[in-house]
Amino acid sequence: RQFWLSIYISELALQTSIYLKCSPSLIAALVVALARHSMGKNIAWHATLEQMTGFKLSTLNDCIIVLSAFIDLTRASLPKLKIISRMYNSISRKRVSEIRVKWIRSASDVIAMNR
């Protein structure tokens, strides 16, 4: 399910201007961290991910807050996203559009992702 949720979050991110603020590799890291966090993983960004990507959780801080807010705003305001949500509500995609993507509002929320 984490795979499909990551893809879903990536598609939602494409509907935002996050690509003007963050590099593609950073956005990929954000998507993984946000998907893991939204699925209730105790440690959303563990040492292996840090080592593989070169990004520390603190590096993700500002952009994950922006991405989270963009996704929340985009899901609420763009009717065309119903098509994306419907596509990810299929059994073959594990109905990941039903998972609430958690909103990260502050640096303390980012720190709490690894507790």
Side-chain angles (χ1 to χ4, degrees):
R1 262 186 123 186
Q2 181 183 321
F3 169 79
W4 285 112
L5 183 58
S6 295
I7 300 293
Y8 176 58
I9 292 171
S10 295
E11 287 223 32
L12 293 176
L14 286 170
Q15 308 303 315
T16 72
S17 60
I18 189 78
Y19 289 93
L20 300 175
K21 300 178 184 307
C22 306
S23 70
S25 58
L26 181 57
I27 293 168
L30 300 173
V31 164
V32 170
L34 197 52
R36 289 179 55 82
H37 181 60
S38 295
M39 292 197 59
K41 303 282 185 188
N42 289 339
I43 299 178
W45 197 252
H46 52 73
T48 304
L49 289 170
E50 190 175 299
Q51 183 180 8
M52 290 172 61
T53 64
F55 293 119
K56 294 180 180 257
L57 185 59
S58 59
T59 307
L60 306 180
N61 199 16
D62 293 337
C63 283
I64 202 163
I65 293 168
V66 171
L67 177 61
S68 173
F70 274 152
I71 287 174
D72 196 55
L73 178 65
T74 302
R75 287 179 82 182
S77 63
L78 292 178
K80 67 182 176 181
L81 290 182
K82 289 180 183 175
I83 294 169
I84 295 171
S85 291
R86 215 174 294 131
M87 187 167 64
Y88 286 90
N89 197 28
S90 67
I91 293 171
S92 64
R93 293 190 176 160
K94 311 290 186 196
R95 298 192 184 278
V96 293
S97 65
E98 294 176 356
I99 297 172
R100 185 179 164 275
V101 177
K102 293 184 179 176
W103 190 10
I104 310 297
R105 298 177 186 183
S106 66
S108 61
D109 287 346
V110 175
I111 292 166
M113 290 173 69
N114 269 2
R115 289 191 186 149

